[in-house]
Amino acid sequence: MKVSLVGIMTMVLVVTATVFAGCTNSAPSSSIPISQVTASVTTIVGTPTLPTTRQPSATITAETTTPAAVTVFGAYNWAEYRNNMTTTPPAGGRYQWEADVKIERTTGTYDGTPAVHYKITNTEDYSEWIGNTLTTTKNGAITVFDTYYDASTNTFLGGTETDTIKGVVNPATDIPVTDMLGEENHPSGALGISPFGEMNTSLTYNGTGSVTVPAGTYMDAQRYTGNFHDGTPIMFWVVSGIPVPVQYQFPNKYLVGEDPFQSYELKGWG
């Protein structure tokens, strides 16, 4: 599955950007297969604290014990993230842009097969040249991915992609099966993981620390690190009682530019 970033890389070639800091990894201490991770769902009550930085810069000290139970992906109906992307374009500088990504999960059938339906809506600004002027339309690019997976085998059954540019809806196109080869293979899709669920890989526990995202500040977020099958490292910050990661990050070499990096920061869930 591809992410619609219409007009974004035009800006990459012309915009002189602000430098954003990456994150510092701690040494791993113990490993757990993700299949052993358990889920628990409660409600977090409190006043969210808005972030002051886009990516955490503090080093999280590794601990020697692994929590008995932690939620990485549990039972959820929807979740929404800020997709924060940074890269160094050929023209130089450090360029940063954002997208809002919302996933809605329901069950039903697809061609008679019991299926899980993932509707993912990616919303971002749309940039274009009008004459000699580069103009940007706020939230002018919206892409909706409707994908269906076999409920028992998690096999991709089919789906469509629909783009809306400045209010004009384009015809839906089919998503090739080859685009949906498994979430553990490499970063892919609007949420970086397709489908949005457990990766078939092991994660290493790296202790706890504070993390701030649009949904709030969590003082004791647990950090886990692992790798996609192509070697791309991925980091998850998870909080007990929240059925999805509060943050996850990876260097996405499939974006244009040098040192591309993506950080998904939780805005809400239900």
Side-chain angles (χ1 to χ4, degrees), residues 170-215:
N170 296 318
T173 59
D174 291 333
I175 298 174
V177 174
T178 53
D179 285 359
M180 314 299 292
L181 297 177
E183 66 271 26
E184 69 274 10
N185 289 333
H186 55 78
S188 63
L191 280 160
I193 307 171
S194 302
F196 189 56
E198 303 290 6
M199 295 175 64
N200 184 23
T201 186
S202 294
L203 297 178
T204 299
Y205 175 61
N206 291 130
T208 63
S210 175
V211 62
T212 297
V213 296

Side-chain angles (χ1 to χ4, degrees), residues 48-183:
T49 301
L50 295 179
T52 56
T53 59
R54 296 302 190 193
Q55 297 174 20
S57 57
T59 300
I60 299 177
T61 304
E63 296 180 355
T64 57
T65 59
T66 299
V70 62
T71 299
V72 178
F73 294 92
Y76 71 94
N77 296 316
W78 66 272
E80 188 171 3
Y81 287 87
R82 176 175 62 194
N83 179 8
N84 179 32
M85 296 161 279
T86 57
T87 188
T88 300
R94 190 71 174 161
Y95 180 62
Q96 181 268 343
W97 73 101
E98 297 176 3
D100 181 89
V101 189
K102 183 176 182 178
I103 181 170
E104 300 169 83
R105 184 175 68 172
T106 57
T107 57
T109 61
Y110 184 86
D111 288 341
T113 300
V116 179
H117 175 210
Y118 295 93
K119 178 183 178 181
I120 301 174
T121 303
N122 186 89
T123 303
E124 56 190 286
D125 296 344
Y126 179 76
S127 299
E128 60 182 335
W129 287 98
I130 299 179
N132 294 324
T133 304
L134 181 65
T135 63
T136 300
T137 302
K138 182 70 173 177
N139 297 330
I142 302 173
T143 303
V144 176
F145 303 92
D146 282 297
T147 59
Y148 297 83
Y149 288 80
D150 186 296
S152 60
T153 65
N154 211 35
T155 302
F156 178 63
L157 298 173
T160 60
E161 174 184 339
T162 305
D163 293 317
T164 301
I165 304 299
K166 296 171 61 177
V168 177
V169 181
N170 296 318
T173 59
D174 291 333
I175 298 174
V177 174
T178 53
D179 285 359
M180 314 299 292
L181 297 177
E183 66 271 26

